[in-house]
Amino acid sequence: MTDTIADHAAPDLQVGSPLVEMENVGKSYGAISALEGINLTVNAGEVTCVLGDNGAGKSTLIKIISGLHSHTEGTLKVDGADCRFGSPRESLDHGIATVYQDLAVVALMEVWRNFFLGSEIRKGNYPLAPLDIKGMREIADAELKKMGIHVKDINQPIGTLSGGQRQCVAIARAVYFGARVLILDEPTAALGVKQSGVVLKYTAAARDAGLGVVFITHNPHHAYMVGDHFIILKLGRRVLDKKRSEVSLEELTTEMAGGQELAELSHELKR
Amino acid sequence: MSSPVATPPSPPSPPSTSAKGAEPVRVQRSLVARVLARPEIGALAAAIAIFVFFFAVAPPFRTAEALSTVLYASSTIGIVAVGVALLMIGGEFDLSSGVAVTTSALASAMISYQFSLNVWVGVLVSLLISLAIGFVNGYLLVRTKLPSFLITLSTFFVLQGLNLGVTKLVTGTVATTNVSDLDGFASAKAIFAADIPLGFMNIKMSVLWWLLFVLFATWLLLRTRTGNWIFASGGNQDSARAVGVPVAKVKIGLFMGVGLMAWFLGQHLLFNFSTVQAGLGVGNEFIYIIAAVVGGALLTGGYGSAIGSALGAFIFGMTTQGIVYAGWDPNWFKTFLGAMLLLAVLVNLYVKNYASTRK
């Protein structure tokens, strides 16, 4: 995995330099405002954790960065240039790759086809040029072996892999295709303890190779293990924005669990 | 191993040190497992069984002439079924394909005859009309995000009405005038509906075209980027879109592919019979869909094959003709169709679960 990242991560990444900057970004669906006044900076070589309960606006936020929705307020800058993505393709072309929790892969397609989906290698650049199937199989096989992912057969449908393995294949794919910003949408939500550990290690490895990582989660323990910067969203607004040095796990957990509201609730329920 | 400049001095330890030592072992799945995972395997078994069955019970079925008739009947189903199979793999289906065949034949015949043009003009204009019908289906689908069932059901009724209404307005009857005297008829017939003598039997041109379309579609699906995109668009369109697959274009293209196949069959029917009945084609859309499903296409998309659709069409070609050769009431065909569909859906469900469970 480290080899994969070192080989394919864009060489011009400078740790600490901002890759994506959001200023006062908001998104409203008609009269409903799903996200408002979000300031967020993704620096190279850092993990920015976005935490929040269900419906806090985490998904809307990543959909804006990954190009599935475009924002309605504020500015989104990638490498200092204003951007408004109309499709995921545009976002990918800027080196922003997203690994989704639920829609990471096409279950019935083979592992290697999933690995190269959307970026297939072809023998020629004309319409209907044949795919370089042998080459793609070999690359996918080699990349997965490097990561120590135990896939019995590179030709088996990816739906036959475990959740953690699928997640790792998706991350490996994003990194292999030269992502500079990696967005991980709840990568550990559906996973067991051990598989979560594997995904967290890959996340750290990607960070160490100089990628900017946005880690979306509702698990403060996972976030605190890899994060450099923490943002908590609540009802589409930012309620906490602190560097790792300014915040403790307890504070993060309390804030995530509802903070003041939770204290009141526990007081109320006290017998 | 070279680290990029920006990497901190000590490279991080590989994530799974334990796995580093034990090289993951790749195992080829057994031949049986791989063959069973093919979408067309059920259809192949059924086709062989049905062939053997009619071969046993219907003596006239055993002749080369009967085989030629069966192949011809299969080709008239199979040509559109190829397009429908690709569309279904792409996650949509089309209820308007049956009447779209008639629309293309009617348009071609009436344009050539009414304006006294070379038939090739009609052929080309009807091609544009057929592609436009496919485009409208696809465009409405991706814009409105309504289920393809509703959109193509609307198209089905619109076209069914247009076929009868326009034909009556133009010719005064419900059939087109005979086009066999027009310029270019002979060459068009040679391309779309010629008989090819093979010595022991005659083969219709449409059979060859059908096989060609099946081969092309198979190659497209398995060997090109477009094919990858078709599978992905049907299998999980959100994932596909997220990794940069132009799902909307793929779907519109697939509907236009069905339009293209409907156009081809329409031209074949026109030049084979020289005249077209305006009410034809209603109900055929289901036969195309069932041929694709029997051939292993999932109704939910993302799985299926072009060869499977050909096997499905062959099964129905054999059955329609076999029932006649066996001297039974042809009405039983519909019952057979329904039973086959149910069986195929159950087999497909089983195959899909088999292919996507953890091993």
mmCIF file of all heavy atoms in Angstrom, chain A residues 32-78:
data_model
loop_
_atom_site.group_PDB
_atom_site.id
_atom_site.type_symbol
_atom_site.label_atom_id
_atom_site.label_comp_id
_atom_site.label_asym_id
_atom_site.label_seq_id
_atom_site.Cartn_x
_atom_site.Cartn_y
_atom_site.Cartn_z
ATOM 1 N N ILE A 32 -35.201 24.876 1.545
ATOM 2 C CA ILE A 32 -34.542 24.194 2.656
ATOM 3 C C ILE A 32 -33.028 24.326 2.524
ATOM 4 O O ILE A 32 -32.458 24.005 1.488
ATOM 5 C CB ILE A 32 -34.924 22.702 2.673
ATOM 6 C CG1 ILE A 32 -36.431 22.581 2.831
ATOM 7 C CG2 ILE A 32 -34.197 21.981 3.796
ATOM 8 C CD1 ILE A 32 -36.998 21.300 2.322
ATOM 9 N N SER A 33 -32.419 24.833 3.599
ATOM 10 C CA SER A 33 -30.975 24.982 3.564
ATOM 11 C C SER A 33 -30.336 23.788 4.254
ATOM 12 O O SER A 33 -30.517 23.561 5.444
ATOM 13 C CB SER A 33 -30.617 26.294 4.266
ATOM 14 O OG SER A 33 -29.305 26.255 4.685
ATOM 15 N N ALA A 34 -29.611 22.992 3.466
ATOM 16 C CA ALA A 34 -29.020 21.773 4.018
ATOM 17 C C ALA A 34 -27.661 22.055 4.629
ATOM 18 O O ALA A 34 -27.196 21.319 5.498
ATOM 19 C CB ALA A 34 -28.881 20.723 2.925
ATOM 20 N N LEU A 35 -27.038 23.125 4.187
ATOM 21 C CA LEU A 35 -25.685 23.428 4.620
ATOM 22 C C LEU A 35 -25.514 24.933 4.551
ATOM 23 O O LEU A 35 -26.007 25.570 3.626
ATOM 24 C CB LEU A 35 -24.704 22.739 3.657
ATOM 25 C CG LEU A 35 -23.343 22.333 4.177
ATOM 26 C CD1 LEU A 35 -23.491 21.342 5.308
ATOM 27 C CD2 LEU A 35 -22.535 21.703 3.057
ATOM 28 N N GLU A 36 -24.834 25.497 5.556
ATOM 29 C CA GLU A 36 -24.736 26.945 5.579
ATOM 30 C C GLU A 36 -23.406 27.372 6.171
ATOM 31 O O GLU A 36 -22.961 26.812 7.187
ATOM 32 C CB GLU A 36 -25.880 27.489 6.441
ATOM 33 C CG GLU A 36 -26.423 28.824 5.988
ATOM 34 C CD GLU A 36 -27.590 29.227 6.878
ATOM 35 O OE1 GLU A 36 -28.635 28.572 6.802
ATOM 36 O OE2 GLU A 36 -27.429 30.183 7.654
ATOM 37 N N GLY A 37 -22.741 28.306 5.554
ATOM 38 C CA GLY A 37 -21.550 28.940 6.107
ATOM 39 C C GLY A 37 -20.433 27.988 6.502
ATOM 40 O O GLY A 37 -19.879 28.081 7.592
ATOM 41 N N ILE A 38 -20.108 27.059 5.619
ATOM 42 C CA ILE A 38 -19.058 26.103 5.960
ATOM 43 C C ILE A 38 -17.697 26.609 5.479
ATOM 44 O O ILE A 38 -17.519 26.949 4.312
ATOM 45 C CB ILE A 38 -19.345 24.735 5.307
ATOM 46 C CG1 ILE A 38 -20.680 24.169 5.773
ATOM 47 C CG2 ILE A 38 -18.209 23.756 5.598
ATOM 48 C CD1 ILE A 38 -20.770 23.880 7.246
ATOM 49 N N ASN A 39 -16.748 26.687 6.410
ATOM 50 C CA ASN A 39 -15.369 26.988 6.054
ATOM 51 C C ASN A 39 -14.558 25.745 6.327
ATOM 52 O O ASN A 39 -14.596 25.216 7.431
ATOM 53 C CB ASN A 39 -14.826 28.137 6.909
ATOM 54 C CG ASN A 39 -15.543 29.425 6.572
ATOM 55 O OD1 ASN A 39 -15.523 29.866 5.443
ATOM 56 N ND2 ASN A 39 -16.207 29.982 7.571
ATOM 57 N N LEU A 40 -13.848 25.292 5.324
ATOM 58 C CA LEU A 40 -13.104 24.056 5.502
ATOM 59 C C LEU A 40 -11.878 24.094 4.600
ATOM 60 O O LEU A 40 -11.961 24.521 3.457
ATOM 61 C CB LEU A 40 -14.005 22.877 5.129
ATOM 62 C CG LEU A 40 -13.392 21.490 5.103
ATOM 63 C CD1 LEU A 40 -14.106 20.616 6.102
ATOM 64 C CD2 LEU A 40 -13.518 20.864 3.746
ATOM 65 N N THR A 41 -10.746 23.716 5.159
ATOM 66 C CA THR A 41 -9.530 23.659 4.354
ATOM 67 C C THR A 41 -8.965 22.258 4.433
ATOM 68 O O THR A 41 -8.873 21.686 5.518
ATOM 69 C CB THR A 41 -8.481 24.650 4.880
ATOM 70 O OG1 THR A 41 -9.103 25.921 4.994
ATOM 71 C CG2 THR A 41 -7.312 24.740 3.932
ATOM 72 N N VAL A 42 -8.658 21.715 3.280
ATOM 73 C CA VAL A 42 -8.017 20.406 3.246
ATOM 74 C C VAL A 42 -6.570 20.630 2.858
ATOM 75 O O VAL A 42 -6.287 21.113 1.765
ATOM 76 C CB VAL A 42 -8.694 19.470 2.225
ATOM 77 C CG1 VAL A 42 -8.055 18.086 2.288
ATOM 78 C CG2 VAL A 42 -10.176 19.379 2.478
ATOM 79 N N ASN A 43 -5.650 20.318 3.781
ATOM 80 C CA ASN A 43 -4.239 20.501 3.492
ATOM 81 C C ASN A 43 -3.609 19.188 3.073
ATOM 82 O O ASN A 43 -4.029 18.116 3.508
ATOM 83 C CB ASN A 43 -3.521 21.014 4.744
ATOM 84 C CG ASN A 43 -3.981 22.405 5.117
ATOM 85 O OD1 ASN A 43 -4.262 23.227 4.248
ATOM 86 N ND2 ASN A 43 -4.095 22.651 6.412
ATOM 87 N N ALA A 44 -2.578 19.296 2.247
ATOM 88 C CA ALA A 44 -1.855 18.104 1.833
ATOM 89 C C ALA A 44 -1.210 17.470 3.058
ATOM 90 O O ALA A 44 -0.696 18.162 3.930
ATOM 91 C CB ALA A 44 -0.802 18.472 0.796
ATOM 92 N N GLY A 45 -1.244 16.156 3.123
ATOM 93 C CA GLY A 45 -0.610 15.443 4.220
ATOM 94 C C GLY A 45 -1.331 15.560 5.542
ATOM 95 O O GLY A 45 -0.743 15.336 6.597
ATOM 96 N N GLU A 46 -2.591 15.960 5.495
ATOM 97 C CA GLU A 46 -3.361 16.043 6.730
ATOM 98 C C GLU A 46 -4.708 15.357 6.557
ATOM 99 O O GLU A 46 -5.234 15.289 5.452
ATOM 100 C CB GLU A 46 -3.601 17.510 7.118
ATOM 101 C CG GLU A 46 -2.368 18.196 7.646
ATOM 102 C CD GLU A 46 -2.654 19.621 8.098
ATOM 103 O OE1 GLU A 46 -3.840 19.993 8.184
ATOM 104 O OE2 GLU A 46 -1.678 20.340 8.349
ATOM 105 N N VAL A 47 -5.234 14.879 7.656
ATOM 106 C CA VAL A 47 -6.566 14.286 7.620
ATOM 107 C C VAL A 47 -7.539 15.264 8.275
ATOM 108 O O VAL A 47 -7.363 15.636 9.432
ATOM 109 C CB VAL A 47 -6.612 12.937 8.369
ATOM 110 C CG1 VAL A 47 -8.030 12.388 8.374
ATOM 111 C CG2 VAL A 47 -5.658 11.948 7.729
ATOM 112 N N THR A 48 -8.506 15.716 7.533
ATOM 113 C CA THR A 48 -9.538 16.579 8.078
ATOM 114 C C THR A 48 -10.764 15.723 8.354
ATOM 115 O O THR A 48 -11.303 15.115 7.432
ATOM 116 C CB THR A 48 -9.896 17.686 7.075
ATOM 117 O OG1 THR A 48 -8.695 18.376 6.723
ATOM 118 C CG2 THR A 48 -10.896 18.659 7.662
ATOM 119 N N CYS A 49 -11.140 15.653 9.614
ATOM 120 C CA CYS A 49 -12.289 14.817 9.954
ATOM 121 C C CYS A 49 -13.549 15.663 10.008
ATOM 122 O O CYS A 49 -13.565 16.715 10.636
ATOM 123 C CB CYS A 49 -12.078 14.155 11.300
ATOM 124 S SG CYS A 49 -10.767 12.951 11.259
ATOM 125 N N VAL A 50 -14.588 15.202 9.359
ATOM 126 C CA VAL A 50 -15.877 15.869 9.445
ATOM 127 C C VAL A 50 -16.803 14.945 10.210
ATOM 128 O O VAL A 50 -17.075 13.830 9.771
ATOM 129 C CB VAL A 50 -16.440 16.183 8.043
ATOM 130 C CG1 VAL A 50 -17.798 16.847 8.157
ATOM 131 C CG2 VAL A 50 -15.480 17.059 7.265
ATOM 132 N N LEU A 51 -17.226 15.398 11.379
ATOM 133 C CA LEU A 51 -18.085 14.566 12.209
ATOM 134 C C LEU A 51 -19.481 15.170 12.265
ATOM 135 O O LEU A 51 -19.670 16.369 12.072
ATOM 136 C CB LEU A 51 -17.516 14.465 13.626
ATOM 137 C CG LEU A 51 -16.178 13.753 13.752
ATOM 138 C CD1 LEU A 51 -15.093 14.721 14.108
ATOM 139 C CD2 LEU A 51 -16.276 12.638 14.762
ATOM 140 N N GLY A 52 -20.430 14.328 12.546
ATOM 141 C CA GLY A 52 -21.785 14.838 12.690
ATOM 142 C C GLY A 52 -22.762 13.692 12.759
ATOM 143 O O GLY A 52 -22.474 12.586 12.294
ATOM 144 N N ASP A 53 -23.900 13.972 13.355
ATOM 145 C CA ASP A 53 -24.946 12.967 13.468
ATOM 146 C C ASP A 53 -25.631 12.794 12.111
ATOM 147 O O ASP A 53 -25.355 13.527 11.172
ATOM 148 C CB ASP A 53 -25.958 13.443 14.524
ATOM 149 C CG ASP A 53 -26.651 12.271 15.196
ATOM 150 O OD1 ASP A 53 -26.495 11.148 14.677
ATOM 151 O OD2 ASP A 53 -27.323 12.485 16.209
ATOM 152 N N ASN A 54 -26.545 11.842 12.037
ATOM 153 C CA ASN A 54 -27.322 11.693 10.804
ATOM 154 C C ASN A 54 -28.060 12.995 10.498
ATOM 155 O O ASN A 54 -28.629 13.602 11.391
ATOM 156 C CB ASN A 54 -28.352 10.573 10.950
ATOM 157 C CG ASN A 54 -27.673 9.235 11.139
ATOM 158 O OD1 ASN A 54 -26.502 9.089 10.801
ATOM 159 N ND2 ASN A 54 -28.400 8.283 11.684
ATOM 160 N N GLY A 55 -28.010 13.410 9.253
ATOM 161 C CA GLY A 55 -28.734 14.608 8.862
ATOM 162 C C GLY A 55 -28.016 15.887 9.204
ATOM 163 O O GLY A 55 -28.572 16.980 9.107
ATOM 164 N N ALA A 56 -26.747 15.786 9.605
ATOM 165 C CA ALA A 56 -26.011 16.989 9.983
ATOM 166 C C ALA A 56 -25.510 17.765 8.770
ATOM 167 O O ALA A 56 -25.139 18.926 8.882
ATOM 168 C CB ALA A 56 -24.843 16.617 10.880
ATOM 169 N N GLY A 57 -25.503 17.109 7.624
ATOM 170 C CA GLY A 57 -25.024 17.786 6.422
ATOM 171 C C GLY A 57 -23.694 17.253 5.931
ATOM 172 O O GLY A 57 -23.112 17.795 4.993
ATOM 173 N N LYS A 58 -23.229 16.159 6.538
ATOM 174 C CA LYS A 58 -21.946 15.577 6.108
ATOM 175 C C LYS A 58 -22.006 15.153 4.645
ATOM 176 O O LYS A 58 -21.104 15.455 3.864
ATOM 177 C CB LYS A 58 -21.604 14.334 6.947
ATOM 178 C CG LYS A 58 -21.536 14.555 8.427
ATOM 179 C CD LYS A 58 -21.002 13.313 9.126
ATOM 180 C CE LYS A 58 -21.813 12.051 8.901
ATOM 181 N NZ LYS A 58 -22.977 11.884 9.772
ATOM 182 N N SER A 59 -23.081 14.452 4.307
ATOM 183 C CA SER A 59 -23.189 13.937 2.940
ATOM 184 C C SER A 59 -23.268 15.067 1.939
ATOM 185 O O SER A 59 -22.637 15.026 0.879
ATOM 186 C CB SER A 59 -24.424 13.074 2.798
ATOM 187 O OG SER A 59 -24.463 12.133 3.808
ATOM 188 N N THR A 60 -24.049 16.102 2.278
ATOM 189 C CA THR A 60 -24.163 17.240 1.368
ATOM 190 C C THR A 60 -22.791 17.869 1.141
ATOM 191 O O THR A 60 -22.427 18.206 0.018
ATOM 192 C CB THR A 60 -25.130 18.280 1.955
ATOM 193 O OG1 THR A 60 -26.319 17.618 2.342
ATOM 194 C CG2 THR A 60 -25.446 19.354 0.943
ATOM 195 N N LEU A 61 -22.025 17.981 2.231
ATOM 196 C CA LEU A 61 -20.705 18.589 2.134
ATOM 197 C C LEU A 61 -19.809 17.816 1.170
ATOM 198 O O LEU A 61 -19.195 18.406 0.270
ATOM 199 C CB LEU A 61 -20.072 18.637 3.531
ATOM 200 C CG LEU A 61 -18.666 19.235 3.610
ATOM 201 C CD1 LEU A 61 -18.719 20.712 3.247
ATOM 202 C CD2 LEU A 61 -18.079 19.056 4.993
ATOM 203 N N ILE A 62 -19.767 16.487 1.328
ATOM 204 C CA ILE A 62 -18.875 15.750 0.426
ATOM 205 C C ILE A 62 -19.413 15.701 -0.987
ATOM 206 O O ILE A 62 -18.647 15.681 -1.943
ATOM 207 C CB ILE A 62 -18.569 14.312 0.909
ATOM 208 C CG1 ILE A 62 -19.838 13.540 1.107
ATOM 209 C CG2 ILE A 62 -17.684 14.299 2.117
ATOM 210 C CD1 ILE A 62 -19.583 12.061 1.129
ATOM 211 N N LYS A 63 -20.732 15.744 -1.124
ATOM 212 C CA LYS A 63 -21.281 15.733 -2.484
ATOM 213 C C LYS A 63 -20.885 16.993 -3.232
ATOM 214 O O LYS A 63 -20.718 16.985 -4.452
ATOM 215 C CB LYS A 63 -22.801 15.562 -2.449
ATOM 216 C CG LYS A 63 -23.177 14.103 -2.259
ATOM 217 C CD LYS A 63 -24.657 13.891 -2.104
ATOM 218 C CE LYS A 63 -24.946 12.411 -1.921
ATOM 219 N NZ LYS A 63 -26.282 12.160 -1.391
ATOM 220 N N ILE A 64 -20.724 18.093 -2.493
ATOM 221 C CA ILE A 64 -20.286 19.330 -3.146
ATOM 222 C C ILE A 64 -18.828 19.190 -3.601
ATOM 223 O O ILE A 64 -18.490 19.513 -4.737
ATOM 224 C CB ILE A 64 -20.445 20.530 -2.185
ATOM 225 C CG1 ILE A 64 -21.931 20.812 -1.956
ATOM 226 C CG2 ILE A 64 -19.738 21.765 -2.735
ATOM 227 C CD1 ILE A 64 -22.205 21.851 -0.890
ATOM 228 N N ILE A 65 -17.980 18.660 -2.711
ATOM 229 C CA ILE A 65 -16.562 18.535 -3.089
ATOM 230 C C ILE A 65 -16.385 17.500 -4.208
ATOM 231 O O ILE A 65 -15.550 17.664 -5.085
ATOM 232 C CB ILE A 65 -15.680 18.125 -1.880
ATOM 233 C CG1 ILE A 65 -15.991 19.010 -0.677
ATOM 234 C CG2 ILE A 65 -14.203 18.236 -2.227
ATOM 235 C CD1 ILE A 65 -15.174 18.673 0.553
ATOM 236 N N SER A 66 -17.192 16.437 -4.163
ATOM 237 C CA SER A 66 -16.967 15.374 -5.143
ATOM 238 C C SER A 66 -17.760 15.572 -6.429
ATOM 239 O O SER A 66 -17.661 14.759 -7.339
ATOM 240 C CB SER A 66 -17.302 14.022 -4.531
ATOM 241 O OG SER A 66 -18.657 13.976 -4.180
ATOM 242 N N GLY A 67 -18.536 16.660 -6.505
ATOM 243 C CA GLY A 67 -19.150 17.003 -7.781
ATOM 244 C C GLY A 67 -20.521 16.406 -8.033
ATOM 245 O O GLY A 67 -21.067 16.548 -9.120
ATOM 246 N N LEU A 68 -21.103 15.717 -7.033
ATOM 247 C CA LEU A 68 -22.441 15.165 -7.263
ATOM 248 C C LEU A 68 -23.512 16.251 -7.202
ATOM 249 O O LEU A 68 -24.522 16.181 -7.875
ATOM 250 C CB LEU A 68 -22.745 14.055 -6.255
ATOM 251 C CG LEU A 68 -22.129 12.698 -6.571
ATOM 252 C CD1 LEU A 68 -22.155 11.783 -5.355
ATOM 253 C CD2 LEU A 68 -22.832 12.011 -7.723
ATOM 254 N N HIS A 69 -23.277 17.257 -6.345
ATOM 255 C CA HIS A 69 -24.164 18.429 -6.302
ATOM 256 C C HIS A 69 -23.276 19.655 -6.400
ATOM 257 O O HIS A 69 -22.138 19.621 -5.952
ATOM 258 C CB HIS A 69 -24.903 18.519 -4.960
ATOM 259 C CG HIS A 69 -25.891 17.418 -4.745
ATOM 260 N ND1 HIS A 69 -26.600 16.854 -5.771
ATOM 261 C CD2 HIS A 69 -26.285 16.791 -3.621
ATOM 262 C CE1 HIS A 69 -27.389 15.927 -5.273
ATOM 263 N NE2 HIS A 69 -27.213 15.853 -3.977
ATOM 264 N N SER A 70 -23.795 20.762 -6.927
ATOM 265 C CA SER A 70 -22.976 21.966 -6.848
ATOM 266 C C SER A 70 -23.544 22.874 -5.766
ATOM 267 O O SER A 70 -24.738 22.861 -5.480
ATOM 268 C CB SER A 70 -22.897 22.668 -8.200
ATOM 269 O OG SER A 70 -24.160 22.765 -8.776
ATOM 270 N N HIS A 71 -22.632 23.661 -5.140
ATOM 271 C CA HIS A 71 -23.045 24.496 -4.018
ATOM 272 C C HIS A 71 -23.811 25.710 -4.514
ATOM 273 O O HIS A 71 -23.676 26.123 -5.666
ATOM 274 C CB HIS A 71 -21.835 24.926 -3.196
ATOM 275 C CG HIS A 71 -20.731 25.542 -3.999
ATOM 276 N ND1 HIS A 71 -19.902 24.796 -4.813
ATOM 277 C CD2 HIS A 71 -20.323 26.821 -4.133
ATOM 278 C CE1 HIS A 71 -19.033 25.589 -5.394
ATOM 279 N NE2 HIS A 71 -19.261 26.816 -5.016
ATOM 280 N N THR A 72 -24.632 26.285 -3.636
ATOM 281 C CA THR A 72 -25.437 27.442 -4.041
ATOM 282 C C THR A 72 -24.912 28.738 -3.441
ATOM 283 O O THR A 72 -25.296 29.818 -3.868
ATOM 284 C CB THR A 72 -26.912 27.241 -3.633
ATOM 285 O OG1 THR A 72 -26.959 26.806 -2.276
ATOM 286 C CG2 THR A 72 -27.572 26.197 -4.511
ATOM 287 N N GLU A 73 -24.071 28.642 -2.396
ATOM 288 C CA GLU A 73 -23.502 29.860 -1.816
ATOM 289 C C GLU A 73 -22.011 29.654 -1.578
ATOM 290 O O GLU A 73 -21.551 28.525 -1.455
ATOM 291 C CB GLU A 73 -24.127 30.158 -0.438
ATOM 292 C CG GLU A 73 -25.600 30.458 -0.438
ATOM 293 C CD GLU A 73 -26.207 30.166 0.934
ATOM 294 O OE1 GLU A 73 -25.496 30.282 1.949
ATOM 295 O OE2 GLU A 73 -27.393 29.788 0.948
ATOM 296 N N GLY A 74 -21.291 30.772 -1.450
ATOM 297 C CA GLY A 74 -19.889 30.713 -1.077
ATOM 298 C C GLY A 74 -18.982 30.283 -2.217
ATOM 299 O O GLY A 74 -19.424 30.135 -3.361
ATOM 300 N N THR A 75 -17.705 30.067 -1.866
ATOM 301 C CA THR A 75 -16.752 29.690 -2.913
ATOM 302 C C THR A 75 -16.027 28.406 -2.546
ATOM 303 O O THR A 75 -15.751 28.138 -1.388
ATOM 304 C CB THR A 75 -15.683 30.787 -3.118
ATOM 305 O OG1 THR A 75 -15.099 31.076 -1.846
ATOM 306 C CG2 THR A 75 -16.260 32.024 -3.733
ATOM 307 N N LEU A 76 -15.738 27.626 -3.570
ATOM 308 C CA LEU A 76 -14.964 26.397 -3.426
ATOM 309 C C LEU A 76 -13.717 26.574 -4.279
ATOM 310 O O LEU A 76 -13.813 26.804 -5.484
ATOM 311 C CB LEU A 76 -15.787 25.206 -3.908
ATOM 312 C CG LEU A 76 -15.053 23.868 -4.072
ATOM 313 C CD1 LEU A 76 -14.566 23.350 -2.736
ATOM 314 C CD2 LEU A 76 -15.973 22.843 -4.718
ATOM 315 N N LYS A 77 -12.552 26.538 -3.624
ATOM 316 C CA LYS A 77 -11.311 26.709 -4.370
ATOM 317 C C LYS A 77 -10.513 25.423 -4.351
ATOM 318 O O LYS A 77 -10.355 24.805 -3.298
ATOM 319 C CB LYS A 77 -10.465 27.827 -3.758
ATOM 320 C CG LYS A 77 -10.968 29.210 -4.069
ATOM 321 C CD LYS A 77 -10.043 30.245 -3.482
ATOM 322 C CE LYS A 77 -10.589 31.648 -3.739
ATOM 323 N NZ LYS A 77 -9.803 32.652 -3.023
ATOM 324 N N VAL A 78 -10.031 25.024 -5.508
ATOM 325 C CA VAL A 78 -9.121 23.893 -5.584
ATOM 326 C C VAL A 78 -7.801 24.428 -6.121
ATOM 327 O O VAL A 78 -7.777 25.035 -7.201
ATOM 328 C CB VAL A 78 -9.666 22.781 -6.500
ATOM 329 C CG1 VAL A 78 -8.684 21.624 -6.560
ATOM 330 C CG2 VAL A 78 -11.009 22.292 -5.996
#
